[in-house]
Amino acid sequence: MDLVRLRWRLIEQGYGFALENPKELVSGRPTAEIIASKEILRAELRPLVKDQLEQPAVRSFIEKMEAGSRDKKSIRLLFTDGAELSQRMREAVQLKGPERAAALANAVKPVLELADDRKDELTGHSLREIWRYVRFTWSIPQVSTPGRQLLYLVRDHALPSKPVIGIASLNNCPLEMGETRESFIGWHRRALAPRFAAAVASGGEALEAEVEWLEQQIETSLSEVEWKNLVTPGQIADPDDAIIRKLLRRGQEFARLREELLREVASSERDAFDVTRWEMDDAPPVDDNVLEMEAKASIDARMHTARKQLIAKKRAHAIGRLLQARRALRKHRSSLIDPAKALDTLELEDVRSAINIVLEALKARRAGANLLEITTCGAIAPYTGMLGGKLVALLMLSPQVGADYKRAYDSPSIISSQMRNQPVTRDSALVYLGTTSLYVHGSSQYNRLRIPAGTIAPDQTEIGYLPIGQTSGFGTVQFSPETSRAIDALLSRTHAYKEVNSVFGEGTSPKLRKLKMGLRMLGFDPDKLLQHRQHRLIYAAPLFDAARDWLMERTINLPSYVADPDAFVGATERIADYWRSRWLASRLDYEPARNGLLVDRFRPLGDYLIDFRGVTTSD
């Protein structure tokens, strides 16, 4: 049924049947087809949204938020309608230029609020609950995302009720960001080739600098891994093939022990577990206080031990690969700094592998600490028609977000601390935001979206959202909760242990890994079924000109508003003022938007629940 929603077809083929995935044209489409493709995408996602809203826990949450109680009022008080908003802006419509902007400053007053557990003064609901309620109105299902997260409400303080304008969420960037994004930042081998080409034109000194940068990256990455009981200082300094093979074998050994332990966990009682059977005198040390940074790993002593084996495996694997890169670069160093040989040397298999290892380690160091992905961003009625989505997107570039991020995550990193076997606190400067549009055709929210130089701080150059390519249309959004639960059940019955435990360090996206395993067991090619064809535009928002150089560790300099965002939180108001004068003021000249505003209103979720039960509302 998931595939039917994506327009797969069952066709006769020879003496049997085959699933056929129709190809999609992703460029050069006329306007009518673009509009139709958007509706097709909404139709594909609508059953998933419907299924989510009909879940008993979600229904109960919606009903409680809308009904209110003795100490809480209905969330419906936090929304306004288009007629009211139009009335507020009536004076501004009659004005032009600076006078219109001044009138709008009193009519619409956006404020950015971190949606945490604080209570809303009017309704008594937590800001997080309000955010969650609004998110359920989106056209794609709401899913929990592990890792770092910031949730935001944008509210209109022009009214005492402070109605909601829109919402946004920022999450960890996926470690597997795709070639387009990684190349843009510089974390892909394809991006390194032009640097070497430019260095060849400049001569030997420039090539020497590029090779030294690669060598320094290896040194930095090795310094961040505890290698006790794995290698000696001499082997780190001068690795040979034997020690590299040994490290990779030890990594496999720890993986095998972990698998055996997980099988025992699945087949025995907790009280029957003998921890001494799994202890190894020559295993890499993993301190309990480092493991306890993540509470989930410490609940069960058996999982606690399995966690140590996972960390040991990761350390052995990481050191082995880094030493492999060190050995390859040393072997070819003289050719890499020779202008006549450098570019050909870059294409050698072991050099390509070494560069990939270096860039993967750099990406792992920076992606989890200095980048965030905007996973939700938009406005709700009636602000949608007044370009409220652009307002929400612009406010994500405010130093207020960087300040909130530093306060929330200026603490030791779980994975980095486990690899180093001591608390490691990363520099949490927020330097880059990434996002994707919902539609690949006709997307407008991020188009031409810029903040002029000097708006945030004197040393701020123009920043904004840059379109850098398209996604491949790969992911798990097309699979219903029923499918995920069925695959979970299949894996638990056919495996004698739980391989995916959804803890830090196991790997990227537990849901994706489970689906891949289950689909493969059922005889499907996961790489084909995970192609949902819902392509999206990719946007990058570096928060200063040299952000990519900083992420590549080629510079250490940060502009004032990134290094000390707390000192510039007032920029949020200046960004809102820019939105009013640049976008809202011009929108008022568009008569269809003004007329549409008069009948526009936010539709509470309770109305959708009524529709799902078979009753058609007046809308």
Side-chain angles (χ1 to χ4, degrees):
M1 293 306 298
D2 297 336
L3 297 176
V4 167
R5 280 196 290 264
L6 293 176
R7 303 188 309 286
W8 284 68
R9 295 189 306 156
L10 188 66
I11 62 171
E12 187 176 357
Q13 189 178 73
Y15 293 98
F17 296 93
L19 282 167
E20 181 182 69
N21 181 1
K23 298 293 183 283
E24 181 183 27
L25 182 66
V26 295
S27 62
R29 302 177 70 172
T31 301
E33 285 191 16
I34 290 174
I35 294 172
S37 71
K38 288 184 176 183
E39 179 50 41
I40 288 171
L41 175 56
R42 286 191 287 264
E44 289 174 353
L45 294 170
R46 199 170 291 128
L48 301 179
V49 174
K50 176 180 179 292
D51 289 347
Q52 185 171 74
L53 293 181
E54 288 187 320
Q55 292 173 12
V58 175
R59 274 207 315 271
S60 175
F61 168 76
I62 292 170
E63 290 166 358
K64 287 179 181 178
M65 293 292 288
E66 292 185 355
S69 61
R70 180 180 302 176
D71 57 342
K72 294 181 181 179
K73 297 179 181 178
S74 171
I75 193 173
R76 291 172 183 254
L77 297 174
L78 300 184
F79 308 108
T80 189
D81 59 49
E84 185 280 323
L85 179 58
S86 178
Q87 178 67 23
R88 267 190 278 152
M89 297 190 297
R90 185 178 60 177
E91 178 187 350
V93 172
Q94 311 305 318
L95 304 172
K96 297 292 183 182
E99 292 181 342
R100 175 179 285 184
L104 286 174
N106 294 320
V108 183
K109 298 180 178 180
V111 172
L112 184 63
E113 282 187 337
L114 184 65
D116 52 21
D117 293 327
R118 291 172 298 163
K119 302 294 184 183
D120 172 60
E121 294 177 356
L122 176 62
T123 64
H125 296 293
S126 76
L127 300 181
R128 191 185 306 275
E129 289 174 329
I130 295 169
W131 187 96
R132 183 185 175 210
Y133 176 91
V134 176
R135 177 60 181 81
F136 277 127
T137 67
W138 251 236
S139 58
I140 56 177
Q142 183 176 169
V143 294
S144 60
T145 306
R148 299 182 175 193
Q149 182 181 68
L150 294 174
L151 307 178
Y152 283 100
L153 295 167
V154 179
R155 301 180 67 177
D156 191 347
H157 281 219
L159 291 181
S161 61
K162 303 173 185 175
V164 176
I165 295 175
I167 63 171
S169 67
L170 300 103
N171 296 79
N172 275 131
C173 285
L175 197 56
E176 298 301 324
M177 299 173 66
E179 183 176 336
T180 299
R181 292 185 232 202
E182 291 173 1
S183 295
F184 177 78
I185 294 172
W187 291 339
H188 194 278
R189 186 177 52 80
R190 190 178 72 179
L192 207 59
R195 292 192 65 94
F196 267 81
V200 165
S202 299
E205 266 189 42
L207 283 171
E208 179 77 31
E210 289 298 321
V211 174
E212 286 180 354
W213 178 83
L214 289 168
E215 292 169 338
Q216 181 55 52
Q217 291 302 311
I218 292 174
E219 190 65 33
T220 300
S221 298
L222 283 169
S223 72
E224 295 186 332
V225 184
E226 167 67 83
W227 38 263
K228 184 178 179 181
N229 287 353
L230 290 172
V231 286
T232 66
Q235 291 166 335
I236 287 281
D238 187 20
D240 57 21
D241 288 338
I243 188 58
I244 293 169
R245 288 195 299 269
K246 178 184 176 183
L247 284 165
L248 297 179
R249 280 198 307 271
R250 292 213 70 188
Q252 293 170 352
E253 178 186 358
F254 293 127
R256 179 182 55 77
L257 286 171
R258 177 173 177 268
E259 181 177 320
E260 290 179 5
L261 175 53
L262 291 175
R263 290 184 188 279
E264 178 165 319
V265 168
S267 62
S268 64
E269 297 295 328
R270 183 181 302 189
D271 294 341
F273 177 66
D274 180 12
V275 69
T276 59
R277 178 187 164 196
W278 304 97
E279 291 177 347
M280 299 171 60
D281 293 335
D282 62 343
V286 181
D287 291 346
D288 287 343
N289 66 324
V290 172
L291 277 180
E292 287 165 2
M293 289 180 180
E294 186 189 2
K296 185 173 182 178
S298 306
I299 295 172
D300 188 330
R302 303 172 298 177
M303 296 304 297
H304 196 76
T305 303
R307 190 77 171 136
K308 289 185 176 182
Q309 292 163 346
L310 174 63
I311 293 168
K313 181 204 80 168
K314 291 180 65 178
R315 288 186 196 167
H317 182 72
I319 296 171
R321 283 173 56 78
L322 289 167
L323 294 185
Q324 178 183 336
R326 169 170 282 180
R327 185 161 172 76
L329 291 179
R330 285 182 179 173
K331 176 183 176 182
H332 298 286
R333 196 181 200 283
S334 60
S335 297
L336 285 169
I337 61 175
D338 183 345
K341 300 178 180 178
L343 296 183
D344 288 336
T345 305
L346 276 182
E347 296 304 315
L348 296 176
E349 185 176 350
D350 55 345
V351 175
R352 289 160 60 103
S353 176
I355 290 173
N356 287 336
I357 291 168
V358 168
L359 295 176
E360 285 171 9
L362 172 59
K363 180 177 65 172
R365 186 156 59 248
R366 290 296 185 189
N370 308 112
L371 286 75
L372 287 177
E373 182 82 0
I374 302 174
T375 52
T376 299
C377 184
I380 61 172
Y383 297 93
T384 314
M386 293 292 106
L387 304 180
K390 288 185 179 290
L391 166 68
V392 179
L394 283 170
L395 291 180
M396 292 300 97
L397 305 179
S398 170
Q400 182 178 337
V401 174
D404 290 337
Y405 181 65
K406 277 199 167 188
R407 275 191 293 274
Y409 295 108
D410 190 18
S411 57
S413 162
I414 293 175
I415 295 178
S416 298
S417 299
Q418 291 171 352
M419 293 296 282
R420 188 68 186 90
N421 206 34
Q422 64 184 46
V424 174
T425 301
R426 297 283 188 201
D427 182 341
S428 55
L430 183 59
V431 305
Y432 174 103
L433 298 178
T435 191
T436 55
S437 65
L438 180 57
Y439 306 108
V440 71
H441 306 293
S443 177
S444 60
Q445 177 164 289
Y446 300 104
N447 286 353
R448 308 187 313 280
L449 209 52
R450 303 284 190 274
I451 295 178
T455 303
I456 292 174
D459 58 345
Q460 174 240 323
T461 57
E462 182 182 78
I463 59 175
Y465 292 88
L466 309 174
I468 61 173
Q470 295 181 9
T471 65
S472 61
F474 181 91
T476 63
V477 68
Q478 68 273 31
F479 292 105
S480 64
E482 287 79 8
T483 298
S484 296
R485 285 193 290 268
I487 285 179
D488 276 349
L490 172 67
L491 292 176
S492 67
R493 289 186 183 187
T494 55
H495 281 60
Y497 65 100
K498 189 177 180 182
E499 185 171 335
V500 181
N501 297 283
S502 300
V503 295
F504 279 102
E506 276 192 332
T508 56
S509 182
K511 180 181 179 182
L512 177 63
R513 284 181 288 128
K514 288 178 182 179
L515 280 167
K516 276 189 171 185
M517 291 170 61
L519 292 171
R520 192 173 289 113
M521 289 177 61
L522 293 170
F524 293 107
D525 180 349
D527 291 333
K528 291 182 179 178
L529 265 63
L530 289 168
Q531 292 285 345
H532 52 60
R533 301 176 0 269
Q534 295 168 6
H535 302 276
R536 299 180 178 188
L537 295 175
I538 304 172
Y539 290 90
L543 297 182
F544 61 103
D545 283 349
R548 288 182 283 174
D549 282 342
W550 193 89
L551 290 170
M552 289 292 290
E553 298 185 356
R554 295 182 183 276
T555 181
I556 60 172
N557 299 319
L558 291 172
S560 59
Y561 60 94
V562 175
D564 184 19
D566 261 316
F568 295 90
V569 293
T572 298
E573 188 173 345
R574 296 192 290 276
I575 294 171
D577 186 56
Y578 166 70
W579 168 78
R580 278 191 297 258
S581 60
R582 167 63 180 86
W583 295 104
L584 181 58
S586 61
R587 190 65 168 174
L588 293 182
D589 289 329
Y590 185 51
E591 187 175 355
R594 295 201 314 270
N595 293 338
L597 183 63
L598 293 173
V599 295
D600 200 10
R601 71 176 182 89
F602 176 80
R603 191 180 183 204
L605 283 167
D607 292 359
Y608 289 98
L609 294 179
I610 292 173
D611 285 351
F612 291 159
R613 290 166 185 156
V615 179
T616 303
T617 68
S618 58
D619 290 351

